[in-house]
Amino acid sequence: MTERMLKFVSRERETPEKRAAEERRKDFDEIYARFADARAAEQAGRCSQCGVPFCQDHCPLGNDIPDWLRLVAEGRLEEAYAVSAATNNMPEVCGRICPQDRLCEGACVIEQSGHGTVTIGAVEQYITETAFEKGWVKPIRPDEERAQSVGIVGAGPAGLAAAEQLREQGFQVTVYDRYDRAGGLLVYGIPNFKLDKAVVARRVARLEEGGVAFALNFEVGRDAGLAELRARHDAILIATGVYKARELSCPGAGEAHVVAALDYLTASNRKGLGDAVADFDSGRLDADGKRVVVIGGGDTAMDCVRTAVRQGAASVRCLYRRDRANMPGSQREVAHAEEEGVVFEWLAGPKAVAARRVRAARMRLGAPDASGRSAPEEIPDGGFELEADLVVKALGFEPEDLPRLFGEPALAVTRRGTLKVDPATLETALPGVYAAGDIVRGASLVVWAIRDGRVAAAAIAERLGARATATPALVAAE
Ligand SMILES: Cc1cc2nc3c(=O)[nH]c(=O)nc-3n(C[C@H](O)[C@H](O)[C@H](O)COP(=O)(O)OP(=O)(O)OC[C@H]3O[C@@H](n4cnc5c(N)ncnc54)[C@H](O)[C@@H]3O)c2cc1C
Ligand code: SF4
């Protein structure tokens, strides 16, 4: 492991219990590793090769899942890796954090027939981990160098996937990011217990070794305008994600113990990476010993409740205004959270926050709203109170005002503030400027960001006169 990767390895707070648990985990990992080949082959062998690959259709990358499952079942792992890597820049990441129950595994015909899905994500992760171990993941060495350069703004999964695709074809690629580490939400949003940061660092190191330049701590809009970047490069990709947190509007929302989900998760991830975090060390962003209330029902809320459990919270409750069936988060994540002791208050909305308390209203589901989901309505006199030393707001994210931030009013946006693009090429209203990931879709998934990065890279390569391996884009035009 390189020194750079070591920087990313989690160092959570040490206690004797945690050390003992870590030792047990190591023993388990050793035993598991010995049986991993057999387990992966057994899972892969469960695939019926049904011939109607719903799993593949429900994977945003169109991964050739039946093919690599067959190769694993036959023990042809290196070939399985080649098939898997052909459509995905980070299979080991997707295998770990895709909500498979809503994607490939949810569509598996064996799951549909009531026999439990083939664990596609786990096999995908296993294939690429084995490939790294055996040296099958080769360095990036373009056949020819091209003089043209591409500037990518944002080092999240969309930017990183595009960087790899373009560098493979010999373009000079610079990735700009306002953070001090590359990875976007893979590093500072998604918690370490779901995605070890060393996994992301390994991908970033491979890109660096392959000639991709990273300009970190570089904020477009502060350190350079978009016009300046356009003058520097032959094409630009904007992959900046969505970071404007939706606010809580009830009385007391500004109290000191009410914190934003991303601040809370970033602090936890930074501590795991060994950084000094003043707001964590002061206790403000640390759930240890506290009664925690998380407001929201998406995957970010699930990450917050599960992080609070790991930090040693005295109790963790999640307040969501709709019911379980109508929550946006993954049901699998809710089940994990419940197993870990999180209590869900369904059909409950915040009314006010005061010192050490949240007052909430009971809700019922009414007629569908603009999104097509039943709109929650307050039940009169149904209020209740929860004790809370820490309140985490996890109400979702919206795009920042990029045309203003980038000093480029001609950068057209949709009604939702996402960047307007040509759905086939992901080119924005500005010629030669493309966009990918959450800044186009709104808050979405890593796998979709990777897909967009690949689509935009293919369009950029075509524009600049190189071979393009097209993946049809799937972005709704507005
Ligand atoms: C807490 C949380 C948990 C999640 N969990 C999952 C999960 O389990 N599975 C899943 O599939 N998805 C998950 N997601 C969603 C997923 O992380 C995103 O959909 C994905 O990361 C989007 O990729 P992106 O490349 O578009 O943007 P991001 O990952 O957000 O990366 C954007 C990058 O752009 C940089 N940037 C922004 N503005 C500028 C600027 N002006 N100048 C320079 N750099 C800039 C940012 O610093 C960042 O590094 C989660 C999201 C959150 C918030
Ligand atoms: S990328 Fe995600 S959806 Fe596609 S096969 Fe892998 S885990 Fe399933």
Side-chain angles (χ1 to χ4, degrees):
M1 196 181 284
T2 64
E3 203 173 305
R4 193 183 164 83
M5 278 167 65
L6 274 172
K7 259 197 343 196
F8 283 77
V9 176
S10 160
R11 260 176 275 142
E12 288 183 357
R13 195 178 312 146
E14 283 257 299
T15 60
E17 293 76 27
K18 278 193 181 151
R19 264 196 301 279
E22 181 60 15
E23 287 308 314
R24 281 199 301 278
R25 195 184 62 77
K26 276 190 196 145
D27 288 348
F28 175 78
D29 283 353
E30 251 172 53
I31 296 165
Y32 183 83
R34 264 186 261 144
F35 290 103
D37 291 350
R39 286 180 59 108
E42 180 202 323
Q43 270 303 316
R46 291 183 61 231
C47 173
S48 65
Q49 299 289 323
C50 59
V52 270
F54 292 128
C55 55
Q56 184 168 3
D57 292 348
H58 283 76
C59 167
L61 290 163
N63 281 345
D64 196 345
I65 301 164
D67 231 25
W68 45 255
L69 287 176
R70 180 178 52 77
L71 289 165
V72 171
E74 292 170 3
R76 295 157 63 187
L77 272 178
E78 190 167 359
E79 291 165 78
Y81 165 67
V83 176
S84 167
T87 50
N88 192 350
N89 301 77
M90 303 176 204
E92 75 287 9
V93 171
C94 294
R96 283 173 167 92
I97 52 114
C98 268
Q100 286 102 6
D101 55 336
R102 304 193 320 239
L103 300 169
C104 53
E105 293 181 11
C108 168
V109 293
I110 299 180
E111 169 77 3
Q112 297 293 329
S113 63
H115 293 91
T117 179
V118 174
T119 55
I120 296 167
V123 177
E124 185 179 33
Q125 172 187 335
Y126 166 78
I127 293 170
T128 305
E129 286 304 330
T130 308
F132 271 111
E133 214 174 275
K134 304 262 188 205
W136 303 333
V137 183
K138 300 287 178 236
I140 301 170
R141 297 277 177 269
D143 291 340
E144 56 172 325
E145 287 293 340
R146 296 174 191 273
Q148 295 133 310
S149 79
V150 181
I152 297 178
V153 189
L160 295 182
E164 179 174 350
Q165 294 300 103
L166 289 163
R167 185 63 200 129
E168 289 275 13
Q169 295 177 66
F171 292 104
Q172 309 309 309
V173 178
T174 302
V175 182
Y176 300 88
D177 203 291
R178 62 184 172 191
Y179 285 157
D180 54 346
R181 293 181 176 93
L185 289 172
L186 298 179
V187 169
Y188 288 130
I190 300 173
N192 207 42
F193 65 86
K194 274 170 63 181
L195 178 62
D196 193 313
K197 305 311 167 195
V199 171
V200 185
R202 185 172 57 187
R203 281 287 168 194
V204 174
R206 180 169 172 271
L207 291 175
E208 277 180 323
E209 283 155 17
V212 173
F214 284 88
L216 299 178
N217 298 306
F218 187 108
E219 182 168 335
V220 177
R222 181 193 66 190
D223 299 312
L226 187 58
E228 201 180 324
L229 286 197
R230 289 180 81 192
R232 252 185 234 178
H233 298 286
D234 298 288
I236 297 288
L237 174 66
I238 302 174
T240 48
V242 290
Y243 284 87
K244 197 168 103 191
R246 288 198 194 105
E247 277 304 327
L248 193 61
S249 56
C250 65
E255 291 277 334
H257 65 303
V258 181
V259 304
L262 206 52
D263 291 349
Y264 174 65
L265 293 171
T266 302
S268 175
N269 276 320
R270 281 197 178 279
K271 282 310 282 184
L273 290 159
D275 293 354
V277 183
D279 271 345
F280 185 92
D281 297 336
S282 71
R284 183 169 178 265
L285 295 176
D286 183 359
D288 191 18
K290 292 182 178 164
R291 295 160 302 183
V292 178
V293 172
V294 175
I295 302 173
D299 286 332
T300 301
M302 296 311 105
D303 286 347
C304 292
V305 292
R306 298 187 69 199
T307 297
V309 168
R310 281 160 181 76
Q311 288 178 346
S315 66
V316 186
R317 300 182 103 84
C318 182
L319 213 63
Y320 180 56
R321 62 198 181 128
R322 291 187 168 92
D323 61 4
R324 185 182 192 128
N326 284 287
M327 69 175 296
S330 161
Q331 293 296 331
R332 211 181 259 188
E333 286 290 308
V334 180
H336 287 317
E338 280 179 330
E339 273 167 27
E340 291 167 5
V342 175
V343 175
F344 284 84
E345 298 285 353
W346 305 113
L347 291 165
K351 289 287 284 178
V353 181
R356 306 198 180 286
R357 277 195 324 280
V358 172
R359 189 148 50 79
R362 283 282 168 216
M363 317 292 281
R364 63 180 162 225
L365 293 179
D369 62 14
S371 72
R373 290 189 301 161
S374 299
E377 300 165 352
E378 188 177 329
I379 301 175
D381 306 323
F384 63 103
E385 281 197 348
L386 294 174
E387 293 177 318
D389 309 304
L390 176 65
V391 179
V392 184
K393 303 175 282 184
L395 302 164
F397 301 94
E398 287 167 0
E400 293 161 295
D401 183 355
L402 280 200
R404 187 182 58 77
L405 286 175
F406 283 11
E408 191 50 86
L411 193 61
V413 294
T414 65
R415 290 188 307 275
R416 296 185 298 143
T418 50
L419 290 185
K420 215 176 218 176
V421 291
D422 174 332
T425 61
L426 304 188
E427 191 171 19
T428 66
L430 300 175
V433 178
Y434 296 74
D438 282 3
I439 192 58
V440 175
R441 295 179 179 276
S444 178
L445 293 174
V446 168
V447 64
W448 281 110
I450 294 173
R451 181 192 172 100
D452 287 352
R454 294 172 69 89
V455 170
I460 291 171
E462 194 167 351
R463 178 189 185 86
L464 300 181
R467 152 187 72 91
T469 45
T471 312
L474 280 181
V475 179
E478 280 210 39

